[in-house]
Amino acid sequence: MPPSGQPATLIYNARAGSSARAPVPDLHRALEDAGYHAALHVTPGPEALPELLRATTGTVFVAGGDGTIRSAALHLLNRPDVTLGVIPMGTANNVARALRLPLDPLAAARAHARTRPRPFDVGLVRGPWGEDHFIEACGCGLFADILDDYGPHLAKSPVRALGSMLEVFTRQQPLGVRVTVDGQGVPSPPLAVLEVMNTPSTGTGLHLAPPADPTDGQFTLVRMQALNREPLLEYAAAMLRGTFHTQPGVHADHGQVFTVADLGQVWHVDTDLRRSAAPGGVVEIRVQPGALRVLSPAP
Ligand SMILES: Nc1ncnc2c1ncn2[C@@H]1O[C@H](COP(=O)(O)OP(=O)(O)OP(=O)(O)O)[C@@H](O)[C@H]1O
């Protein structure tokens, strides 16, 4: 436990899915119980973060869903003067799960009595469109296509999400792309899914790479061979159960630098979407080991 009353900053997204489970006074008290006296910033949106974080050092708790955590984390890359403390207040909470924090926001705040700063890897994607970073995952194939059809920055809608899934399952073409892992080509049969995972799960809680560890300096490349449509439901169930990586036709490779041929396919970089205007080159994905300092419980 840090010495009682250690100064910290608390960024709070009142719009995050489960903010009702952690009203500000309760969260403040839970952090006090963990040994932190946090200066509160209820942010109206991600645009408030660059200026706020530029002027902040020390421990920064971020209470929000994965989108809020990501938008803060992207301003804290290679900032050894800042340690990020995650307080999960979203729906999927992929980052908190990866860190093995409790998923209840108040319990997570109290658990920070026993967390320590640890290096957390970040992904760098270089494509014809430029450079981007990711915290959870990037990839192409089914999920990127579904996200593209759904429109990740429109208001959430389960009905639209279902429509996008059906639409993409119906028209999906397998991806025949050349792939390398740390400079070596890997067999590349036509693929339905290609994901480079930093965290074990991504998106709406899809457990694609349960053994992935964002503190190990490596990513997991998950490839799922193109299939007939019938077994897709079995694969979807396996994603929710955390057994996707053991299904037939699913391959996992570990490495630090990945290249994938650019045929003009849509990519997701966490929830951002990218597509090359001039296909023909490669997209490179590289680990930036320990680019973030993040509080996590002892292993
Ligand atoms: N620092 C911030 N302050 C306020 N709003 C933010 C901040 N960062 C992101 N947002 C916005 O808040 C909304 C909800 O964000 P977030 O993804 O964190 O929560 P969620 O949707 O409940 O989580 P999940 O993705 O797990 O369902 C999004 O519209 C996002 O753009």
Side-chain angles (χ1 to χ4, degrees):
M1 183 152 161
S4 190
Q6 184 172 310
T9 302
L10 170 59
I11 292 171
Y12 185 92
N13 178 1
R15 287 196 285 154
S18 48
S19 54
R21 286 162 65 191
V24 166
D26 296 7
L27 192 52
H28 214 255
R29 208 167 312 119
L31 284 173
E32 290 280 346
D33 292 346
Y36 291 96
H37 184 68
L40 172 69
H41 298 266
V42 179
T43 45
E47 60 288 345
L49 295 175
E51 197 184 335
L52 172 59
L53 292 171
R54 209 174 304 126
T56 304
T57 57
T59 305
V60 176
F61 291 103
V62 178
D66 289 314
T68 312
I69 308 295
R70 174 175 194 253
S71 57
L74 294 183
H75 296 293
L76 298 175
L77 303 181
N78 304 309
R79 286 274 310 267
D81 56 330
V82 177
T83 303
L84 172 66
V86 171
I87 299 178
M89 242 171 31
T91 320
N93 299 312
N94 297 310
V95 177
R97 281 176 201 275
L99 292 168
R100 300 181 202 290
L101 282 166
L103 299 180
D104 173 75
L106 296 179
R110 282 188 216 99
H112 281 300
R114 298 176 302 281
T115 54
R116 295 283 173 275
R118 277 174 235 287
F120 188 102
D121 305 328
V122 171
L124 170 66
V125 186
R126 283 200 187 105
W129 56 82
E131 289 189 358
D132 294 288
H133 289 96
F134 64 90
I135 307 299
E136 297 177 22
C138 80
C140 51
L142 271 179
F143 302 132
D145 291 344
I146 291 171
L147 206 59
D148 185 36
D149 190 272
Y150 175 71
H153 300 298
L154 301 175
K156 284 184 184 171
S157 156
V159 174
R160 220 176 60 250
L162 186 61
S164 296
M165 274 186 249
L166 293 175
E167 167 71 23
V168 170
F169 283 156
T170 313
R171 68 166 152 83
Q172 216 235 354
Q173 297 293 324
L175 275 173
V177 284
R178 198 179 125 71
V179 179
T180 68
V181 179
D182 291 341
Q184 301 293 315
V186 292
S188 300
L191 298 175
V193 174
L194 182 152
E195 292 287 325
V196 179
M197 304 288 297
N198 186 29
T199 50
S201 61
T202 188
T204 51
L206 303 173
H207 302 273
L208 296 179
D213 175 357
T215 67
D216 67 358
Q218 296 221 321
F219 288 160
T220 305
L221 170 72
V222 179
R223 291 170 297 139
M224 176 182 147
Q225 277 177 235
L227 296 165
N228 297 328
R229 290 195 183 97
E230 291 73 24
L232 275 174
L233 272 184
E234 283 167 38
Y235 283 77
M239 266 172 231
L240 298 175
R241 282 196 304 264
T243 55
F244 179 78
H245 59 307
T246 63
Q247 298 296 302
V250 177
H251 304 278
D253 297 281
H254 306 281
Q256 294 187 309
V257 184
F258 307 82
T259 65
V260 181
D262 170 29
L263 309 179
Q265 69 271 37
V266 177
W267 284 81
H268 77 91
V269 179
D270 288 332
T271 48
D272 288 339
L273 292 167
R274 298 286 181 263
R275 177 181 232 150
S276 145
V282 292
V283 175
E284 185 196 78
I285 300 126
R286 186 175 279 276
V287 183
Q288 297 198 309
L292 280 172
R293 263 167 70 89
V294 175
L295 290 174
S296 79

